[in-house]
Amino acid sequence: MAVEKIGVGMIGYKFMGKAHSHAYKDLSMFFPQAIHPQMLVICGRDETGVKQAQEQFGWQSCETDWRKVIANPDVGLIDINAPSNVHKEIAIEAARAGKHVFCEKPLALTLADAREMLREAQQAGIKHMVGFNYRFAPAVQLARKLIAEGRIGTIRHFRAQFLQDWLTDDQFPLVWRLQKEVAGSGSHGDLNAHLIDMAHFLVGGIEEVVGMSETFVKERPKPAAMSGLSAAGAAGGEKGEVTVDDATLFLARFANGALGSFEATRFAAGRRCANTFEINGSLGSLRFDFERMNELEVYFTSDEEDVQGFRRVLATDPAHAYAEAWWPPGHTLGYEHTLIHEVVELMEAISENRQPVPNFEDGVKCQQVLDAVELSVAERRWVKVQEL
Amino acid sequence: MAVEKIGVGMIGYKFMGKAHSHAYKDLSMFFPQAIHPQMLVICGRDETGVKQAQEQFGWQSCETDWRKVIANPDVGLIDINAPSNVHKEIAIEAARAGKHVFCEKPLALTLADAREMLREAQQAGIKHMVGFNYRFAPAVQLARKLIAEGRIGTIRHFRAQFLQDWLTDDQFPLVWRLQKEVAGSGSHGDLNAHLIDMAHFLVGGIEEVVGMSETFVKERPKPAAMSGLSAAGAAGGEKGEVTVDDATLFLARFANGALGSFEATRFAAGRRCANTFEINGSLGSLRFDFERMNELEVYFTSDEEDVQGFRRVLATDPAHAYAEAWWPPGHTLGYEHTLIHEVVELMEAISENRQPVPNFEDGVKCQQVLDAVELSVAERRWVKVQEL
Amino acid sequence: MAVEKIGVGMIGYKFMGKAHSHAYKDLSMFFPQAIHPQMLVICGRDETGVKQAQEQFGWQSCETDWRKVIANPDVGLIDINAPSNVHKEIAIEAARAGKHVFCEKPLALTLADAREMLREAQQAGIKHMVGFNYRFAPAVQLARKLIAEGRIGTIRHFRAQFLQDWLTDDQFPLVWRLQKEVAGSGSHGDLNAHLIDMAHFLVGGIEEVVGMSETFVKERPKPAAMSGLSAAGAAGGEKGEVTVDDATLFLARFANGALGSFEATRFAAGRRCANTFEINGSLGSLRFDFERMNELEVYFTSDEEDVQGFRRVLATDPAHAYAEAWWPPGHTLGYEHTLIHEVVELMEAISENRQPVPNFEDGVKCQQVLDAVELSVAERRWVKVQEL
Amino acid sequence: MAVEKIGVGMIGYKFMGKAHSHAYKDLSMFFPQAIHPQMLVICGRDETGVKQAQEQFGWQSCETDWRKVIANPDVGLIDINAPSNVHKEIAIEAARAGKHVFCEKPLALTLADAREMLREAQQAGIKHMVGFNYRFAPAVQLARKLIAEGRIGTIRHFRAQFLQDWLTDDQFPLVWRLQKEVAGSGSHGDLNAHLIDMAHFLVGGIEEVVGMSETFVKERPKPAAMSGLSAAGAAGGEKGEVTVDDATLFLARFANGALGSFEATRFAAGRRCANTFEINGSLGSLRFDFERMNELEVYFTSDEEDVQGFRRVLATDPAHAYAEAWWPPGHTLGYEHTLIHEVVELMEAISENRQPVPNFEDGVKCQQVLDAVELSVAERRWVKVQEL
């Protein structure tokens, strides 16, 4: 039987565009049974830039008008990793054209937009996916499995932090991610979004929240020039206002009675990309830190009483998700593998004619909590998620 | 010159009584220059129990009436580690008798009581100390020193958790610590008290808080018999109501602009005594976990760019607090040493005719934040600490 | 300017064949300036197997006769990852045909063979490389840099262990790796080879050695069937003799006066792939464990005396080797990236018309130490490496 | 029933004298059922020094002539922690006087002397103990228990290192520990002695060894003055020869077939007191590092296949040795507790009229291996332990 193929058109070609391209490129080598993505066309506004990306990443062609990509009859899947403020328009047009959509997080800038995207996708009957890639680390998949099998018992606590440090220096320039009109939000939408999705994946729905937000450095040097993630301070030393949050923390109550604590910051010196969680249940506990993404720490109350302790489980054994596709035990994976696994899920869902997970519903649920926290910060009160 | 001596009368003889007794016993051996405490009399209500404690711990006599201990003219220092609900009465009477007072935390059951104790102590002109022993781990002293010297820069974040797990099993019996009328509070007063004091010690004053509290297991088997920390479930299986919190979390804003996140729980399976904090500043970060109490993790943004990373500093070098009194580098200390160092501070303060630190003022400040959190939980709102 | 290209012919298509194929496939996406390898032809004895590999890994064609691959005029580089006992013949024929050769370790089964391969390669004037991939972990590159820049000072100690555990169960079947005639050697040639190369890379030449070897489980069930790395015990339960070492340890003296301790075993329960080293110098120390391959622990004696401790450096910062080609700081790499970096070195060497490192000279030097240890084990004495 | 008492006379009053004194002082408080040691007399050659020690450590009297201590009819136990070169004479005289003897390691400077001491002690019928205190860390006791109960299976590997760093700086002065005539040996007798005893305790007898030794810094500044552990370089900068080993490594074969690797050094920068071991068995593995002495890492091959990993066991639970005498779970112990537990064993042995463990037989066995290694180093060959 011939393996199915699907033509992919990608909108966006920067950091996430590269990561997604790599996922499509590597997929069939490690997961040969999955539908084979055909890297047909990559699209960006800057003709030189996208042309270079096309060649470097291995796409067949490039394009500057995303409508033409959607119109291309060979394209069956639209991958959106362009800036967040264009997600909605592209996703809806793609859905209306009957194309499957894989959209980076955040799904949209507002909850209303996210809901509209979901509605359109559902009406069109397409497959839709949202890029919460951290779910796809094998160690996180193991956490999910242990919880689903009841091996951790009733969950009491979920405490999660996404700690980065790239803004610690107050002379770091005013890049676009620090401007609300472009980025929508700061650490909250960027980092808490991942934590909230992780909470949904592992614990379940959140009922109410109360939060706190801060912009520690309110003015930064305007960059002289800016490209991608890098930027240099202006010669004139002119400053501009930072209009997003540097850090946002919130407490949460889950529908199942668990208590949650969330924190996102870009000011945690020494923490490069510490996307961490700890879960305490009635039968055990789990701990994860993305900086050691191959490991899950696992504790069971049922262990013999003289040898109780957190186990450092390296999720590279045959018993672990995706491990058979890769290398022998102890040969670890990296960040980019989460993207590849994400695409595996997408291809399997298309092949099995079901929705991939996480999809736009998960994107909407995440946005709802994000907005509830922002409302809580603004009004200094507890906010029920269903208020929104 | 002869070393000074001071007669000690101790009220209480259980877990903390033992820990304090040991501190007095060991003091002069390791800190010979400090005032030598004379272990004159230990006091408890149960005559058999206190007699046994007297002999085992090495006190010269025992007593069942604490007023007689205070009346003893040879006693210059009253050490109070009896149950919290008697702290106030004893401390005030001791102060009025002109005795110095070393009182275990929490200072009192209410903020009003704590303030009254402070007032009386100040009027009496005595030395007063409160038992926040975790300040005295050398690794914590190092944290304080690095902050005080400006080596961590402006503090942005303080996140602290005191995680224990002895209530994880819902068949664990209804001991007195779970009854409000006796214990005053649950994890909040027991564990958050320590975190708040640590925050005051390392970061400074807290301006406002918002909190959340939960009792996960609302009924537990009544114990058939109970002694000390152990208890066994009743044969009849009768249950009683848990009237204190199992877990309390809160967010805080410090006067200096830092953001705080606090969590206390007795349901964190696998975490035996994880009194932890992380501090992020503009020049570096610090991390501590009492389960590895000899270590402080330290990060500096000024490290050369190819060798940046958290250092695991073992606080047993000559450069570290108290180290010279103990063993060579790498020979670690344990829990009980925090108590000994606490007594060192007390004796030095008496000798230098200054207030020891932490004293009743710190006890009051801590109680104020505890109460603010409770009010926040009750009224579901942000509470300014100075409201109380 | 057009980027150069080179046609690759690969001999071998199993575990290492897949890893090498992936390196060629990903190279240009992340290192676009490097010569672009063209995946022309993959070769294996089993027609079905190699055909499937060709399709899955993305090669243009496949072949069962390796001589035809060498004869192919479009092929400029021969990649040898077939079983070790055919390395020599293929490498020499390729060299004589003027093709560059990238050969997996061990270079050959005997020192004499390895030397012959080196001589032929030198006579042919080709580029030659040997697959000691662990050098190419960015954390190991950092170790090398710190040593080269003198920041660790004079090296006193190198202690290295390569601990695996796949033979712990004595019912694990008698796979080909346990048969001397096929595998040449056991843990020694497989694992110590990597440690020796690491020692050469980081410390320098070894002068003399004394070793010890053991086969703990001398008979194992013959496998009913065997494919790749998997095998199942025979139904009849017939047993066969294990003819290679399960573990080999040796002490070494380096030319520069440092002391070395080496250990390879497949019986270290719980250690999946712990390729570790620690280096102590007069100015600092370094520690590495491949199971946490993104990290290097670094200690400097010159750190201020109150904050001395091993730093956990995550080698994903811009200052670290290869980091700019990948993801932002804290986004870690995996096993397969060591292979990609290896190919980067190969392509750069070809482009710059110099020998890549490590090359056949390194392969010979490694084999010399391996043989010296075997001689030492056989004759129970210290052996000078230059005896061989 | 009244608890028994025993009068103690201690010879030596420096570092180990203080540690032993503290053990006697604390014993009855935490182990009230054990025989109560009476701290009768402490003895040292320097009258001022020993007088000060007497007062500081809490002894009833002091003495400068050790023969008088032995002659004292109230003394039932002689504790020897004076320099190693006087152990023999004192121990034999004490034994002949019918006193029990607790002697610090190393038992003697030569194997012949150690054997003579054992013989005399046996003839006298006294209790004798040797101070291998590391056995008494609760985590080590747990290791022993797991092995004894067969939970680790057949032991394959024991690898142990005792790494210190106080000689890393080549300007560190020529203290007495670096002079063979006084210290007997360097890192080997000091540190490997502990590792060898640990091996005997956990694995069993050693059959043969091959070793390597080095003095990296052959000359050091003569100290101007020297007291205790501290010393300062001479003003004139005069240098003297270091006559002991800086580092000694050896390989070993155990009687039960396990392979051993041992290393002692004082040049491991950053390792303050890393007394470590790892044991791999057919059913599991154990890891220990004295710098985290409350922890034992434990791995079981029988764990479910998706949650296999080393457990970090904090040996402070009620199930662990000595824990009930101390504090609640998670409240860790320190270095000095190993000494207290050692004395518990001594008192229990006296009370139960059996030999304590470890005793002079263990001291002799350790010395035998130490000497075998020295012979191996001198003659550059494998040495059978029973040769000696």
Side-chain angles (χ1 to χ4, degrees), chain A residues 299-317:
Chain A
Y299 178 90
F300 294 117
T301 62
S302 59
D303 277 346
E304 287 167 290
E305 61 179 12
D306 59 354
V307 287
Q308 298 203 332
F310 277 89
R311 305 175 188 185
R312 183 179 79 101
V313 179
L314 207 51
T316 58
D317 283 348

Side-chain angles (χ1 to χ4, degrees), chain B residues 149 151 300 311, chain C residues 300-309:
Chain B
E149 293 175 359
R151 290 153 78 185
F300 294 117
R311 305 174 188 187
Chain C
F300 294 117
T301 61
S302 58
D303 277 346
E304 287 167 290
E305 62 179 10
D306 59 355
V307 288
Q308 298 203 332

Side-chain angles (χ1 to χ4, degrees), chain D residues 262-287:
Chain D
F262 296 73
E263 176 168 4
T265 184
R266 293 159 168 174
F267 276 73
R271 304 287 218 131
R272 294 295 191 263
C273 195
N275 177 353
T276 77
F277 66 77
E278 174 165 348
I279 292 174
N280 306 124
S282 57
L283 300 178
S285 290
L286 304 172
R287 299 170 72 182

